[in-house]
């Protein structure tokens, strides 16, 4: 037996904040790889883990504007727990009254590395030790089926690698004699490629016992990721059923091997609506809603549907992100259908199958899980791409490009002996900025009223940067489709195309190399030139080799 460990990798970490009845902890999932290639999952509890935070040394606190980076030799490093971060920083600033107002702390121009979480630090140390090489994540898939009428959960299936576990209510499958043999025969008939997988089917009298056993199995298997397709259906449903039975979810979903006071189970739904600039409220596609289950368990629950969409934002949007459609797009056998139920659709199909074909319906549930594993085997979204793209960013913030960029720039800065600044939380309104008093420059030449030198402090307005194409530039090539006026061109087009820029922010910032450190001067006024003209031309000036002829012609 090989016991020489050659690699340890952190998969994810969950911060357990300090309270009146517990200290600061981190629940860390890692895997150990032996020389023989065997991979063993492990759970570690870190007590009072210290992360870094930086503050500008007093001698260099001579600026009022935030910097993007600061040199390490101009900073003092302080270690503290994540729970004590605000207290530590406020005391370093000499402003202990800011402990309860973290937004004000973030506005300080002298704080660096504040936005990097302790869980990101834990992941970063692991990546450093392994030269930023990660092995593939292990994935399990979970799916539930509920009674359309009574809302009870009829069955839960969890699948990982070559093993299947299905928990079923006795009231649903009890009327079927020798159900295990019949389920195996149905698998051989409908999905023969999986007939050799190890399958366990357990029947329960009580719904809550079925839920408990399933998550006990999940914590025993210890997959890195527990994937669910559209988890905003399954997880709230499970939590609602536990609440119905007056059972605390920390006693079911969490790792039961850790002390009860350290268990956390909190579901956070993603944003479901957005308000456009014109004030119109629009729903967000479910595939773009990034939901999070903050859970101290040996697995991280992830929405496979949202991951699939997030990793393909630059591609054309699919007509539907239902599992059935995505399987078809990827040329994988779609969800099981049975000729006996061909005349039924939607909820009626489920009612018919539940009442008349419980064995086939159970196999239907099992294949839903197997098909997601098959999809991941083909595209590697969960095993490789998601962890690689996330880097040190927590999975619960994976949908935030700015957060991923900040974390990546933090690593980049450390390699250059620099630390990234802190993003301010509160931005002053334009009218508030204009009303602020301007301090006099003590080094100004005598006789010069600096306060009246408005060009030194004036900035361009943040408004009216988004412009529509002027009407006079439109090409009138519409169809002549009015019978009474055959030569009249209308605004009706036969062929249209909707072009959009993918991830224009921050892509435009990167392409133009826009930064405080790369900005020497900001042109705010040209006598005799209208503001809208020099705004447009100054943007073009950044890419001078492309736009120089137009620039010199206009300016």
């Amino acid at each position: 037996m090989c016991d020489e460990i050659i690699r340890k990798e952190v998969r994810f970490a969950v911060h357990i904040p300090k309270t009146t009845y517990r200290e600061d902890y981190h629940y860390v999932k890692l895997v150990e790889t032996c020389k023989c290639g065997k991979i063993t999952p492990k759970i570690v509890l870190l007590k009072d883990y210290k992360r870094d935070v930086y503050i500008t040394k007093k001698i260099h606190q001579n600026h009022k504007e935030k910097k993007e980076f600061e040199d390490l030799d101009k900073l003092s490093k302080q270690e503290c727990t994540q729970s004590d971060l605000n207290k530590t920083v406020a005391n370093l600033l000499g402003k202990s009254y800011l402990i309860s107002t973290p937004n004000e702390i973030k506005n300080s121009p002298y704080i660096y590395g504040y936005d990097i979480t302790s869980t990101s630090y834990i992941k970063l140390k692991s990546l450093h030790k392994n030269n930023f090489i990660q092995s593939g994540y292990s994935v399990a898939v979970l799916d539930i089926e509920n009674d359309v009428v009574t809302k009870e959960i009829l069955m839960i299936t969890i699948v990982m690698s070559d093993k299947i576990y299905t928990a079923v209510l006795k009231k649903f499958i009890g009327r079927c004699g020798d159900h295990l043999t019949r389920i195996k025969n149905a698998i051989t008939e409908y999905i023969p490629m999986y007939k050799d997988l190890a399958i366990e089917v357990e029947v329960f009298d009580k719904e809550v016992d079925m839920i408990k056993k399933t998550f006990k199995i999940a914590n025993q298997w210890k997959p890195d990721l527990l994937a669910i397709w559209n988890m905003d259906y399954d997880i709230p449903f499970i939590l609602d059923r536990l609440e119905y039975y007056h059972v605390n979810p920390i006693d079911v979903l969490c790792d039961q091997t850790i002390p009860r006071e350290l268990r956390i189970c909190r579901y956070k739904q993603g944003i479901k609506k957005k308000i456009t600039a014109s004030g119109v409220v629009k729903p967000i596609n479910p595939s773009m809603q990034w939901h999070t289950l903050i859970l101290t368990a040996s697995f991280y629950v992830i929405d496979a549907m949202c991951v699939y969409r997030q990793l393909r934002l630059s591609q054309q949007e699919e007509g539907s992100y239902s599992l059935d459609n995505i399987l078809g797009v990827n040329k994988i056998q779609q969800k099981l259908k049975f000729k006996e139920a061909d005349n039924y659709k939607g909820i009626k199909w489920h009612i018919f199958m539940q009442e008349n074909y419980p064995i086939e319906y159970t196999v239907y549930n099992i294949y839903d899980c197997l098909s997601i594993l098959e999809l991941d085997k083909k595209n590697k979204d969960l095993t490789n791409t998601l962890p690689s793209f996330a880097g040190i960013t927590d999975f619960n913030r994976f949908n935030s490009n700015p957060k991923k960029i900040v974390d990546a720039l933090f690593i980049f800065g450390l390699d250059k002996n620099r630390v990234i600044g802190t993003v301010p939380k509160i931005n002053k309104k334009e009218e508030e900025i204009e009303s602020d008093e301007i301090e006099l420059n003590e080094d100004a030449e005598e006789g010069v009223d600096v306060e009246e030198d408005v060009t030194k402090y004036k900035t361009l307005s943040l408004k009216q940067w988004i412009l529509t194409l002027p009407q006079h530039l439109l090409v009138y090539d519409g169809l002549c489709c009015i019978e009474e006026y055959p030569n009249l061109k209308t605004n009706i087009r036969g062929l249209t195309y909707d072009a959009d820029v993918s991830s224009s922010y921050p892509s435009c910032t990167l392409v133009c190399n826009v930064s405080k450190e790369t900005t020497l001067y900001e042109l705010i006024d040209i006598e005799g030139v209208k503001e809208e003209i020099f705004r447009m031309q100054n943007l073009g000036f950044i890419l001078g080799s492309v736009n120089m002829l137009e620039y010199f012609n206009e300016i």
Side-chain angles (χ1 to χ4, degrees):
M1 179 179 177
C2 175
D3 56 0
E4 182 181 352
I5 298 173
I6 60 173
R7 179 193 296 268
K8 290 184 179 181
E9 301 174 70
V10 171
R11 292 315 202 193
F12 62 86
V14 179
H15 179 231
I16 306 170
K18 181 171 66 175
T19 64
T20 54
Y21 58 88
R22 71 182 179 210
E23 297 299 318
D24 183 281
Y25 277 89
H26 283 82
Y27 180 94
V28 182
K29 166 69 180 291
L30 54 85
V31 293
E32 296 177 345
T33 304
C34 294
K35 193 173 183 179
C36 65
K38 180 183 177 182
I39 298 177
T40 305
K42 296 283 186 179
I43 301 299
V44 176
L45 283 174
L46 298 180
K47 181 181 178 181
D48 292 332
Y49 173 81
K50 301 293 180 65
R51 46 81 46 83
D52 298 335
V53 66
Y54 302 82
I55 184 170
T56 308
K57 294 177 180 178
K58 285 289 185 181
I59 192 174
H60 298 295
Q61 292 185 11
N62 53 8
H63 54 90
K64 295 184 178 180
E65 294 290 328
K66 278 184 170 288
K67 294 183 178 181
E68 294 173 337
F69 287 91
E70 185 59 281
D71 297 332
L72 269 174
D73 57 7
K74 295 181 181 179
L75 300 172
S76 296
K77 184 174 77 170
Q78 183 70 34
E79 294 182 343
C80 65
T81 64
Q82 186 70 26
S83 298
D84 289 335
L85 178 61
N86 291 335
K87 178 181 177 181
T88 301
V89 173
N91 289 333
L92 287 172
L93 290 172
K95 301 177 180 179
S96 57
Y97 57 88
L98 295 180
I99 294 176
S100 59
T101 56
N103 287 354
E104 292 298 324
I105 292 176
K106 289 172 69 70
N107 285 333
S108 170
Y110 308 128
I111 301 300
Y112 293 82
Y114 180 96
D115 295 320
I116 311 303
T117 63
S118 56
T119 50
S120 292
Y121 271 104
I122 292 172
K123 188 70 181 295
L124 177 59
K125 288 185 177 181
S126 171
L127 288 173
H128 267 306
K129 289 181 180 179
N130 296 294
N131 297 317
F132 286 86
I133 298 174
Q134 295 186 91
S135 60
Y137 276 45
S138 60
V139 180
V141 180
L142 181 141
D143 187 41
I144 70 171
E145 300 295 343
N146 65 284
D147 190 308
V148 178
V149 179
T150 66
K151 303 303 180 184
E152 291 177 291
I153 297 177
L154 297 177
M155 67 188 75
I156 312 176
T157 293
I158 179 172
V159 174
M160 180 180 175
S161 185
D162 58 351
K163 49 193 175 184
I164 303 169
Y165 175 82
T166 299
V168 193
L169 269 187
K170 185 176 182 179
K171 62 177 289 186
F172 173 71
I173 206 168
R175 63 182 185 271
C176 302
D178 196 9
H179 52 266
L180 179 58
T181 300
R182 294 180 64 182
I183 288 173
K184 287 183 177 180
N185 291 338
I187 290 176
T188 302
E189 178 181 355
Y190 296 109
I191 43 175
M193 57 282 202
Y194 300 111
K195 64 180 181 180
D196 295 327
L197 296 185
I199 179 171
E200 179 183 357
V201 178
E202 195 167 357
V203 180
F204 293 86
D205 292 321
K206 297 180 180 179
E207 182 184 9
V208 68
D209 292 336
M210 178 177 65
I211 300 173
K212 286 181 178 180
K213 183 59 180 293
T214 302
F215 281 94
K216 180 180 179 181
I217 292 291
N219 275 291
Q220 289 174 351
W221 287 0
K222 292 183 173 63
D224 298 326
L225 298 174
L226 180 62
I228 302 174
W229 197 271
N230 189 17
M231 66 182 281
D232 197 40
Y233 175 81
D234 298 64
I235 295 300
F237 206 101
I238 291 171
L239 296 178
D240 285 344
R241 297 309 294 170
L242 291 176
E243 183 179 4
Y244 176 81
Y245 291 107
H246 306 290
V247 176
N248 194 323
I250 68 170
D251 297 322
V252 179
L253 278 67
C254 293
D255 183 352
Q256 302 300 302
T257 64
I258 66 173
R260 194 174 190 276
E261 64 270 17
L262 299 183
R263 300 174 196 168
I264 296 176
C265 180
R266 186 170 74 253
Y267 184 62
K268 181 181 178 183
Q269 285 187 321
I271 299 173
K272 295 191 172 186
K273 295 179 181 179
K274 66 178 179 180
I275 302 177
T276 65
S278 58
V280 178
V281 178
K282 290 187 175 182
I284 295 176
N285 190 296
S287 63
M288 290 294 291
Q289 300 170 13
W290 194 263
H291 311 290
T292 302
L293 181 63
I294 304 171
L295 185 70
T296 48
S298 61
F299 47 83
Y300 185 91
V301 180
I302 196 84
D303 193 323
M305 176 181 69
C306 295
V307 171
Y308 184 90
R309 178 71 187 278
Q310 282 290 331
L311 296 179
R312 292 164 180 80
L313 289 179
S314 61
Q315 300 179 18
Q316 182 177 349
E317 182 178 350
E318 299 292 346
S320 169
Y321 285 89
S322 67
L323 177 58
D324 194 47
N325 185 66
I326 296 303
L327 291 175
V329 169
N330 287 272
K331 295 180 172 54
I332 296 173
Q333 179 180 329
Q334 293 177 279
K335 301 182 74 162
L336 292 183
K337 298 175 177 62
F338 306 93
K339 61 181 181 180
E340 294 84 356
D342 284 346
N343 295 327
Y344 300 91
K345 302 292 182 184
I347 293 179
K348 291 184 178 180
W349 184 91
H350 286 272
I351 294 175
F352 176 80
M353 292 298 298
Q354 290 173 7
E355 291 179 348
N356 300 283
Y357 295 93
I359 296 296
E360 287 77 5
Y361 195 68
T362 303
V363 176
Y364 165 85
N365 172 247
I366 292 172
Y367 181 67
D368 275 1
C369 295
L370 290 170
S371 64
I372 296 174
L373 280 184
E374 197 67 34
L375 178 65
D376 191 63
K377 188 184 299 183
K378 181 174 183 178
N379 58 33
K380 307 294 183 185
D381 282 357
L382 300 171
T383 53
N384 296 108
T385 310
L386 171 69
S388 177
F389 280 19
I392 66 171
T393 303
D394 295 329
F395 291 136
N396 65 338
R397 298 297 307 279
F398 182 79
N399 64 321
S400 171
N401 275 332
K403 176 58 178 171
K404 286 185 287 189
I405 290 172
V406 166
D407 288 344
L409 287 175
F410 173 69
I411 300 173
F412 172 81
L414 288 181
D415 290 339
K416 308 291 183 183
N417 291 319
R418 311 186 81 197
V419 182
I420 195 169
T422 300
V423 179
K425 196 68 175 180
I426 300 176
N427 295 319
K428 291 185 178 181
K429 296 180 180 179
E430 185 178 351
E431 55 269 21
E432 292 176 342
I433 294 175
E434 292 177 349
S435 65
D436 281 349
E437 293 183 0
I438 301 173
E439 294 185 6
L440 296 178
N441 183 357
E442 295 178 355
D443 297 328
E445 295 181 10
E446 186 177 353
V448 177
D449 189 348
V450 180
E451 190 170 5
E452 292 299 317
D453 186 8
V454 294
T455 60
K456 188 171 183 177
Y457 300 97
K458 181 182 175 184
T459 59
L460 290 174
S461 170
L462 298 178
K463 299 178 180 179
Q464 297 180 346
W465 283 95
I466 301 176
L467 304 175
T468 56
L469 188 65
Q471 193 70 19
H472 68 277
L473 293 180
L474 293 177
V475 177
Y476 291 96
D477 58 351
L479 299 177
C480 299
C481 55
I482 299 179
E483 184 176 353
E484 292 80 4
Y485 302 95
N487 296 322
L488 178 64
K489 290 186 177 181
T490 68
N491 284 328
I492 300 174
R493 266 73 175 181
L495 299 174
T496 60
Y497 179 75
D498 182 17
D500 197 2
V501 178
S502 176
S503 300
S504 57
Y505 170 80
S507 298
C508 58
T509 307
L510 297 173
V511 170
C512 297
N513 197 27
V514 176
S515 164
K516 286 185 177 181
E517 296 187 352
T518 59
T519 301
L520 296 179
Y521 299 99
E522 183 178 351
L523 193 59
I524 60 174
D525 190 27
I526 301 178
E527 289 187 10
V529 179
K530 293 181 179 180
E531 182 176 334
E532 60 266 24
I533 294 178
F534 78 72
R535 271 194 187 203
M536 179 69 72
Q537 296 308 318
N538 286 345
L539 286 175
F541 185 74
I542 297 174
L543 304 172
S545 59
V546 177
N547 302 297
M548 58 183 177
L549 293 179
E550 180 184 353
Y551 184 84
F552 286 114
N553 184 55
E554 290 288 337
I555 299 297

